[in-house]
């Protein structure tokens, strides 16, 4: 049995070298905003945009890190 790394669970922030964690971010798309859960770096706030999203016509992505 070979060990396979999880697909999305083991993403590492290039800058901080720490694993990304799931968090709520707000995407801005064509003037409207909607919340989604994406992987982001808890340290520098980098958000990983999945390929499916990046391939869309998203022109602008804003992140709103809302910590309670
Ligand atoms: Zn980072």
């Amino acid at each position: 049995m070979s060990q396979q790394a999880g697909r999305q669970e083991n993403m590492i922030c290039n800058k901080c070298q720490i694993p990304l964690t799931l968090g709520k971010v707000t995407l801005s798309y064509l003037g409207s905003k909607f919340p989604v859960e994406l992987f982001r770096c808890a340290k520098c706030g980098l958000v990983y945009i999945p390929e499916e999203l990046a391939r869309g016509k998203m022109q602008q992505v804003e992140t709103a890190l809302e910590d309670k």
Side-chain angles (χ1 to χ4, degrees):
M1 221 192 327
S2 64
Q3 266 196 336
Q4 281 200 327
R7 275 167 285 173
Q8 298 212 311
E9 286 96 36
N10 286 322
M11 290 184 300
I12 306 286
C13 176
N14 288 330
K15 200 167 155 190
C16 314
Q17 299 296 308
I18 61 172
L20 303 184
T21 54
L22 257 187
K24 278 250 171 74
V25 301
T26 301
L27 295 183
S28 178
Y29 176 49
L30 295 180
S32 43
K33 297 187 175 183
F34 51 98
V36 292
E37 277 209 324
L38 291 177
F39 283 93
R40 65 179 171 95
C41 174
K43 199 170 168 187
C44 72
L46 173 143
V47 176
Y48 171 77
I49 308 295
E51 207 176 320
E52 46 193 79
L53 266 184
R55 264 200 233 133
K57 291 169 187 157
M58 196 176 304
Q59 297 179 322
Q60 187 183 10
V61 176
E62 289 177 6
T63 64
L65 307 180
E66 293 177 53
D67 288 328
K68 292 168 227 164

